[in-house]
Structure formats: C-alpha cells, structure tokens
Amino acid sequence: MEFNVDTTALDALATPLLVVPTFSDDGARGEAYDEANALVGGRLSGIVEEEGYKAEAGKTLLVHTSDAKARRVLLVGVGKAEDYEPLALRSVASSGVQEANGRKLDSATLLVPEAGDRARAMGFAAQGALLGGYRYDHWRTQNVEPLTCQRLGLATGGVDVDGAEAAVAQGEAIGEAVNFARDLMNGPAVEITPTAMAEAARDIARDGGLEVKIFDEAEITRRGMNLILSVSAGSDEEARFIHLTYRPEGATDDTPEVALVGKGVTFDSGGYSLKPSAGMEDMKMDMGGGAAVLGAMKAIAAVKPKYVVHGIVPASENLINGKATKVGDIVRSLNGKTVEIMNTDAEGRLLLADALCYAERLGVDRVIDLATLTGASVVALGPHTAALFAGDEAFGDKIKEASERAGEDFWPMPLNKKLREMLETPNADMKNVGQRWGGAITAGLFLEEFVGDMTWCHLDIAGPAMSDKADGYVPKGGTGFGVMTLVELLQGEV
Ligand code: BES
Ligand code: ZN
Ligand code: ZN
C-alpha cells in the first residue's frame, strides 16, 4: 500500500472513492462532509436524508456521484464532533480500503478532518488502511480475489500539515508491524516453528539495524534455562531463545532500558496434561505474545524511541514424546528456584519465568511480559480485553494510558497475594498451577517469583490476541494485539 499526503485543492481531487469522516451531530456533519457535499453540488444532503443516515460511529453510506472527479463518496460515521479524536481515522481508513477492495478499485482518497492533531490523524489513517486491508492468504491457491486497493491519498483540502509525512511513515511502520505479527500467528505450526521465529527475528535485526542473539537448545542448556527445556523436552523441534536489542543513537549507561518478553509457544497441545481437540484448534497462535514483541521491535527500529529496548522471546513447542515432561517432575529454573510441574499445559509461565530471570541479569529497569497465558483471563474479561497485572502501579498506569491512546483494550487485574498459597507444594519451592479459581491471577503470581528487582507488568492477552470473526480492522485469526500499545508506550515516557 502506498500513501500520499495530498494537498490538492478539493475541487481538483480525482479519485474513484472519496472517503469522508462524518459526524453524527444533526445538521453539523463536519467540514469534511460539507466540502464533499459542495463537491457534488449539494446532492449528499438529500440522499443522507432519504436514507436516514445518522453517521453513528462505524456506519457507512456509499453514494455514487455522476461527478467525473470523485466517482463515489463513502461517508463513514465517526460519532459526535465533540468526542472526535485522531484515532477515529484508523477505523475510517480501514472502512475506506475495505470498500475499495470490495469494489475492485485501485485507490481511494480520505479527507482528513480539520479538527485535532491532523498529522497524528494521518498516522492513524495509514495504520488503519494497512490493518483493514490485511488478509492471510499465503497458503491459498484457489479462488483468491486479489486485493486491488494499492494507494490511499490523505487529503488536507489544499493546505500543508506540519509533520504529516513523518507521521504517515510512522503509521505505516506500525501497521506493517502489526500485520507482520498477524502473519506469524496465522502461519501454521508446521511452518512457524521456534526456529522460524528466530529467523524472523534475524530478519528484523538485519533490516532495522538491531542487535540479535539466538540461543539454540545446547546454549539454553548451558545457561541453565531448565524451565524452557522442560517445555520443549517432548518436541522434535528445538527451542530457541531470541534476544533483540535496539539502542538509540547516543545511548549511554544512563539510558533507561526496557525489556519486552513474549511467550512464544508455536503450538500448545498441553503436553501430557493434554488439551481436548477443540481446545487445541487455536493453539498455533499461542506465540501471540512473542509475535507482538517481534512486531514491536520491527516498528521500534523505524520509530526510534529514546530507550534501550530488549525484545525477548522464548520459543518452543509444547508436545509429547517419551522425553516429554511428566506431571510431577521437578525442574530448577535459571534463578535457582525449583518448580513442581503439576500441569504441563501451564507451560507459558515456565518459558516466561526463565526469560524474566534472563532480563533481570541484563540489568534492565523495566520489564513487560505479554502472553496468551490463561483461558481464565478470557473468562474474566471476555475476548476483546487483555488483563493488565501491574507489579508496579505507576508503570501499570503508564501502560493503560498508552493502550488508550493506541486504541487497544486492557483492564487492570489484582495480583492478590492471598492466592500465593495456592502455588505451595511440599516437594519444591512452588508448583506451576493453583486451583481453578483465579487462574489468571495465580499465573501472574507465579511470574512474580522470577521478576526480582525489576519494575514489572504482566499482560495476559489470551482473549484479544485471537479473534473468531472479522470486525472492522481486526481480522479473524491472529490480531497482532499488543504491538500498538507497546510502540505507543515507548514513544512516550515509560
Ligand atoms: N495457551 C494456553 C492459554 C490459552 C487458552 C490461550 C485459550 C488462548 C486461548 C495456556 O498455555 C494454558 O493452557 N493455560 C491453562 C492453564 C491451566 C492449566 C492452569 C488454561 O488456561 O487452562
Ligand atoms: Zn498450555
Ligand atoms: Zn499455552
């Protein structure tokens, strides 16, 4: 997809589809609507009236014009003018591109509203166009209609907008990073193995000028990351430990360091605590946290925040063979704590535990882990909301605020210490599961054992990482959830 900031005067705009953000206020649909209406000789008013179109958020109305320059006008509702935020353009651009693809048009032009931060709005529009135009069709050989819309103009109504080009370039980098994470998630486990994830990380490092370290199983063994080994023990595919580092120009020893740690289970069968078939259907996407971390590192290389950022992904399959971990096995973690594995399906926390110890040894100040960790978080919050467990309240607030700016949904959850006793066992320092109740919380409390002195937040993204139906710019399948929040956070103050 190509984007161009279009400063052509409106009456000279030629486009097969003019996309017009429209406010729902009666009689005051906004200047973008007024201009589009003027462009087609005032004909929109009558049609809007006749169709009873109210421009509620997300509602669209397509109008064919006989005007040669703007052949079609797509009104896209953005709700009330007083609630308008630049973020709204993500959905608008997504609707525009989906409409253009549906009609086999090769381009569209979006009228950027005058209100608010227009450069930021254009960045969101670029994101939305890429997200809405996403499709996973790598393995389809038949009946694939091509996606035709290759260009989106961002029209300013003939004026220059400061910072527009840079904002669009950033929006593009972010949109591509989310789609990259989606591709990794949607790829079948036979293709997206731990080794393939490591190769993807190498590509990111090469393209973005990041440092990269990949540990194979021999190195993971040598370093004593036994919890990771215990997850991969039953698999013929070797585990990989991925560590990318971004350093801003001029970084010194005083530059704050942030680590992003993502669960990279490329297929979760449950191990000997085997999942039922239905529970396994989405488990090629159990690397959604790792995909989000790799996606964020890809965008970070382009967005260039002021922090040192480590992207860490322990990647493994969770399968069964004669060497697989057995229920009741006891394993010594990287920080020396012993874990009795009472459920081999609670494997994500095992990978993350060793990865958190590794991050602590790097000397980072702040760490965020992301994981499709528990079904319990989906039971608690539903499929669209991620659970935010703040080891540090102020840091949790920063992440929550960034997620609101990025338009991703998180809700704070308690790390209730009273539940810690559920992890007690006479046989080891802890076991890896509690009882049924509070399952997302005990998972968080387990991780906390491995955080040491770092300022930490845990994000359980099991719900929103995968979607069972397409909705706006969120496709069915892997969503790439988390990338946008991480990038937004790192662009601001952490
Ligand atoms: N990968 C799953 C969690 C999951 C479930 C993610 C559904 C997305 C959708 C995780 O490894 C797991 O199996 N967790 C168990 C933990 C339990 C054994 C304590 C779960 O949630 O049932
Ligand atoms: Zn599991
Ligand atoms: Zn899992």
Side-chain angles (χ1 to χ4, degrees):
M1 183 94 64
E2 250 178 61
F3 299 97
N4 67 304
V5 176
D6 194 338
T7 54
T8 315
L10 270 189
D11 50 8
L13 264 186
T15 175
L17 183 71
L18 186 66
V19 182
V20 181
T22 306
F23 297 125
S24 61
D25 310 66
D26 216 10
R29 305 231 173 266
E31 82 295 329
Y33 170 84
D34 292 342
E35 285 160 3
N37 196 21
L39 209 61
V40 296
R43 267 171 289 148
L44 286 181
S45 326
I47 298 170
V48 161
E49 179 90 3
E50 206 169 303
E51 297 296 320
Y53 179 68
K54 301 264 188 284
E56 294 111 327
K59 292 272 161 45
T60 61
L61 180 68
L62 183 81
V63 177
H64 283 260
T65 71
S66 45
D67 186 281
K69 286 194 183 127
R71 306 287 306 165
R72 302 166 190 80
V73 173
L74 180 71
L75 303 180
V76 185
V78 290
K80 295 225 168 287
E82 64 180 21
D83 301 330
Y84 171 76
E85 286 183 28
L87 177 60
L89 284 213
R90 189 191 283 158
S91 293
V92 173
S94 166
S95 300
V97 167
Q98 288 174 352
E99 189 76 40
N101 280 327
R103 293 177 186 278
K104 308 257 181 303
L105 308 175
D106 61 0
S107 67
T109 296
L110 190 157
L111 281 187
V112 179
E114 271 168 32
D117 181 340
R118 298 186 90 189
R120 193 166 161 79
M122 290 186 202
F124 282 126
Q127 287 179 16
L130 288 163
L131 300 182
Y134 174 82
R135 187 172 69 193
Y136 184 77
D137 56 14
H138 296 212
W139 291 83
R140 293 197 56 165
T141 63
Q142 289 169 350
N143 306 325
V144 195
E145 295 283 341
L147 296 171
T148 53
C149 183
Q150 296 301 332
R151 272 174 296 124
L152 182 70
L154 300 164
T156 62
V159 301
D160 284 324
V161 172
D162 272 356
E165 302 284 350
V168 170
Q170 288 206 353
E172 213 178 330
I174 293 167
E176 277 169 0
V178 175
N179 286 347
F180 166 84
R182 290 171 173 180
D183 276 348
L184 282 179
M185 294 186 74
N186 291 327
V190 66
E191 175 194 16
I192 308 299
T193 57
T195 308
M197 286 195 74
E199 288 314 313
R202 274 194 211 284
D203 291 347
I204 292 170
R206 193 198 47 229
D207 297 346
L210 308 182
E211 295 162 29
V212 57
K213 284 188 189 138
I214 309 281
F215 304 154
D216 61 11
E217 254 183 37
E219 181 68 15
I220 294 170
T221 309
R222 204 186 60 72
R223 287 174 176 263
M225 296 164 145
N226 298 320
L227 289 175
I228 295 178
L229 292 174
S230 78
V231 177
S232 75
S235 171
D236 289 348
E237 283 288 339
E238 275 202 18
R240 288 289 181 270
F241 188 89
I242 301 165
H243 176 193
L244 292 169
T245 308
Y246 158 82
R247 280 180 213 284
E249 248 179 59
T252 67
D253 286 350
D254 296 333
T255 308
E257 303 204 13
V258 182
L260 312 174
V261 178
K263 169 179 172 180
V265 175
T266 58
F267 187 75
D268 183 9
S269 74
Y272 276 111
S273 310
L274 192 63
K275 287 183 184 294
S277 321
M280 250 181 252
E281 283 173 8
D282 286 337
M283 286 302 116
K284 68 173 183 183
M285 293 187 276
D286 205 19
M287 27 58 76
V293 168
L294 294 186
M297 294 308 288
K298 188 175 162 70
I300 278 164
V303 161
K304 301 198 188 311
K306 59 185 175 186
Y307 308 104
V308 174
V309 186
H310 300 274
I312 298 171
V313 181
S316 173
E317 296 185 329
N318 185 24
L319 297 184
I320 298 169
N321 65 16
K323 297 212 168 63
T325 296
K326 295 168 282 290
V327 173
D329 282 358
I330 297 175
V331 180
R332 192 180 304 275
S333 73
L334 180 57
N335 76 355
K337 292 189 182 179
T338 55
V339 178
E340 185 180 27
I341 298 179
M342 291 311 285
N343 190 318
T344 60
D345 197 12
E347 83 298 341
R349 64 197 73 182
L350 302 175
L351 297 179
L352 293 174
D354 274 347
L356 287 167
C357 297
Y358 176 88
E360 199 202 7
R361 290 186 182 179
L362 292 175
V364 306
D365 314 298
R366 289 166 189 273
V367 62
I368 303 170
D369 75 76
L370 292 91
T372 49
L373 203 61
T374 66
S377 73
V378 195
V379 173
L381 297 174
H384 306 302
T385 306
L388 187 160
F389 293 91
D392 177 274
E393 214 178 303
F395 191 35
D397 290 347
K398 286 260 163 61
I399 296 171
K400 179 85 171 70
E401 287 156 20
S403 76
E404 283 164 9
R405 294 197 299 276
E408 291 185 319
D409 199 15
F410 285 84
W411 195 253
M413 295 269 279
L415 282 166
N416 188 341
K417 302 284 179 284
K418 262 193 110 160
L419 274 58
R420 173 62 182 78
E421 66 185 30
M422 289 191 192
L423 298 176
E424 278 168 17
T425 165
N427 301 322
D429 295 337
M430 71 197 91
K431 53 183 180 168
N432 73 328
V433 280
Q435 290 119 40
R436 178 161 177 241
W437 309 118
I441 298 174
T442 45
L445 291 171
F446 180 90
L447 296 177
E448 195 169 30
E449 296 285 328
F450 300 90
V451 166
D453 291 333
M454 296 182 290
T455 299
W456 161 72
C457 270
H458 159 55
L459 309 177
D460 192 335
I461 61 170
M466 38 194 103
S467 167
D468 58 9
K469 62 170 195 309
D471 181 16
Y473 60 77
V474 179
K476 180 174 159 66
T479 63
F481 184 92
V483 172
M484 296 190 289
T485 296
L486 293 176
V487 177
E488 180 67 38
L489 177 78
L490 291 163
Q491 280 179 299
E493 303 295 320
V494 297

